[in-house]
Amino acid sequence: MTTPKVSLTHLDQLWFQVAGTLCNLTCHHCFISCSPKNDSFGFLSLDQVRKHLDDSLIAGVKEYYFTGGEPFLNAEFVDILCLTLEYGPATVLTNGTVLKEEWVERLRKAESLSQYGLEFRVSIDGFSPESNDPIRGNGTFGRAMDGVLRLVDAGFLPIITAARTWPMEQDAEILDRFVQMLRDSGYAQPRLKILPTLQMGAEEQRTHGYLDSERLTDEMLTDFDFSQLVCDHSRIVTDRGVHVCPILIESPDSRLGETLSAACDDFPLSHGACMTCYQFGAICSNPSGQAYRVKSDEHGT
Amino acid sequence: MELENSGRESVLQIALLGGVYNNYLALEATLQDASQRGCDEIYCLGDLGAFGPYPDRVFPLLDQYNVTCVQGNYDDSIGNGLDNCQCGYTDPRDNHFAQLSFDYTLANTSSGNRAYLRQLPKEIRLERYGLEILLCHGSPRRINEFLWESATSTQFLEYLGKQHQADIIVGTHTGIKWLRQLADQRWFCNSGVVGRPENDGATNVWYTILDIQTGHHGSSKRRALENVSWRHVPIHYDYRRLACEMEQEAIPTEFIETIRSGWWTTCLEVLPGKERRRGRF
Ligand code: SF4
Ligand code: SF4
Ligand SMILES: [Fe+2]
């Protein structure tokens, strides 16, 4: 049995692991086990980011994403975002618990001067402290909601992202309760996105890891819409180089090169996590950037 | 004005409209406007159907005004009798409403018109005064790709232009018009849509006219690009009548409210924050 491969169709999204694996929280489902002490990946500096932003112009990158760890632990992060908004649209994945008002003000100003948008995706895993805090830590619901409202007050419309730690059948009900909670808190135009959990890192201990049999085969990928996979149109920069996708940075084989142009090779879909991407599709993009393949494309008309 | 022995200057006017969404009243007003202005060519960039009433009333107008159409995702779906509009919504409420208007449109589009939708091209290429103009629905690479102003970098649009050998790319699909000048004076333009207002609290809709100054025969591409200009044109039409007809056809009130108020009420999840913020919901 051969391992199927994915080619980079076009570099639409450039990600930055801007806080490495450093995070002020230690969520039970974190797929790269970030924590205040995990410095296996470090911060990216403004200069490092600038170098890749410049390279990204030639590559025709459409939008930029920032993740960690918690990006706002990086002291240069606000500067990094302001710089990025000169190049293109930016999205930050944050836990919302360390946002300072003055940073939010500065970012709002930078966004209004830019032709591009700045999106915040704030992770909250339940619509109440009772459902969120057992997963993300004591008091995190209140602190994250403070961050959300700070963003809302400044005029941003953060996207609340919740990892699905409940059975899928309950999606509609939980979505409703989330929306209600956000409206009640003063967020009039709430935006939500539910993400599947990945059976890796801390989540591997919380539930289970991937079985050896949970691997993609060529057969499964016959007629599959590869644009559903992040690795089809993205790369991520860490302090070690450029990797295939944000999910696999801890696997040594995920590092493809030092620069964007050196990281365009095909990648074998040999990891258990590839199975989750296959099942759930575009788990990392914003809803506004998604376009799945239409029926007639499949038949080559 | 420069005088050249090639003679008088004139302007080639190309009317570009998208997203009809069954709104045949706005379509008719738009086409009248375009012909009154003396537009030389009229193109529709797709999505003839959606939440408006009486889908079949759109087609005779296209014929009457000699409109050439690109296929939109909706046209692909209705033409081929698929089970949804292929906008890719994930929010259950968005999907609910999108499905109601889709089922209505599918049930009320004649088989002859569905055959017409099926055979529409995914792109149209024009060559005018040495300029390569590419008309598409979402993006040149994907019929249902949303290219929003705040979420699309300039270098990406330049990549699309190179990849598809186009000096000018025009699309629609998102419902909100915008324009960006690219390197070497190339262009990307979203024509806007005539089917519903722009989520700005006004009831009018928009289409776009591409003007190319002519009369510089033998001029270079650079020269031709210098002679390109754009107009976004607001169209006021009898939206009250449309709203009444939507009521008669039992179309969900959420869609009717949009026609009457100018604010979008559903399918908001695909809007980037910057565009969403300008709306009410
Ligand atoms: S899930 Fe996010 S917030 Fe939680 S530990 Fe991991 S990086 Fe930090
Ligand atoms: S984990 Fe997902 S994004 Fe990463 S290589 Fe596998 S399929 Fe691609
Ligand atoms: Fe469309």
Side-chain angles (χ1 to χ4, degrees), chain B residues 191-211:
Chain B
S191 67
V193 295
V194 301
R196 69 167 171 179
E198 227 179 42
N199 199 22
D200 59 359
T203 54
N204 67 280
V205 297
W206 297 86
Y207 80 107
T208 297
I209 300 174
L210 163 60
D211 296 311

Side-chain angles (χ1 to χ4, degrees), chain A residues 112-129:
Chain A
S112 61
L113 292 174
S114 169
Q115 60 188 330
Y116 304 118
L118 171 58
E119 299 275 22
F120 292 90
R121 296 200 343 207
V122 182
S123 312
I124 300 182
D125 288 332
F127 49 79
S128 62

Side-chain angles (χ1 to χ4, degrees), chain A residues 5-6 73 76 94 125 220 223 239 272 289:
Chain A
K5 285 187 172 179
V6 60
L73 295 186
E76 286 189 291
T94 171
D125 288 332
M220 295 161 77
D223 265 344
D239 63 346

Side-chain angles (χ1 to χ4, degrees), chain A residues 267-288:
Chain A
F267 185 77
L269 298 169
S270 58
H271 294 264
C274 302
M275 200 71 181
T276 303
C277 295
Y278 169 79
Q279 286 168 334
F280 294 96
I283 57 175
C284 301
S285 322
N286 293 335
S288 59

Side-chain angles (χ1 to χ4, degrees), chain A residues 12 61 111 114 119 155 189, chain B residues 86 141 153 273-274 277 281:
Chain A
D12 284 6
V61 168
E111 195 213 31
S114 169
E119 299 275 22
Q189 294 174 290
Chain B
Q86 308 186 92
R141 64 177 187 177
S153 78
K274 229 173 175 170
R277 208 148 57 204
F281 299 106

Side-chain angles (χ1 to χ4, degrees), chain A residues 10 12 60-62 64 87 89 111 114-117 119 155 189 191 227 287-288 291-296, chain B residues 76 86 88 122 141-142 144-145 150-156 159 180 269-274 276-277 279 281:
Chain A
H10 174 253
D12 284 6
V61 168
K62 187 181 177 192
Y64 305 94
Y87 290 77
E111 195 213 31
S114 169
Q115 60 188 330
Y116 304 118
E119 299 275 22
Q189 294 174 290
R191 301 163 82 204
S227 71
S288 59
Y292 71 104
R293 184 169 62 174
V294 295
K295 274 281 173 329
S296 55
Chain B
D76 181 30
Q86 308 186 92
K122 293 257 188 311
R141 64 177 187 177
R142 192 154 279 203
N144 61 349
E145 180 168 21
S150 80
T152 309
S153 78
T154 298
Q155 60 271 17
F156 176 70
Y159 154 78
R180 177 110 27 101
E269 66 172 305
V270 295
L271 280 170
K274 229 173 175 170
R276 175 103 181 238
R277 208 148 57 204
F281 299 106

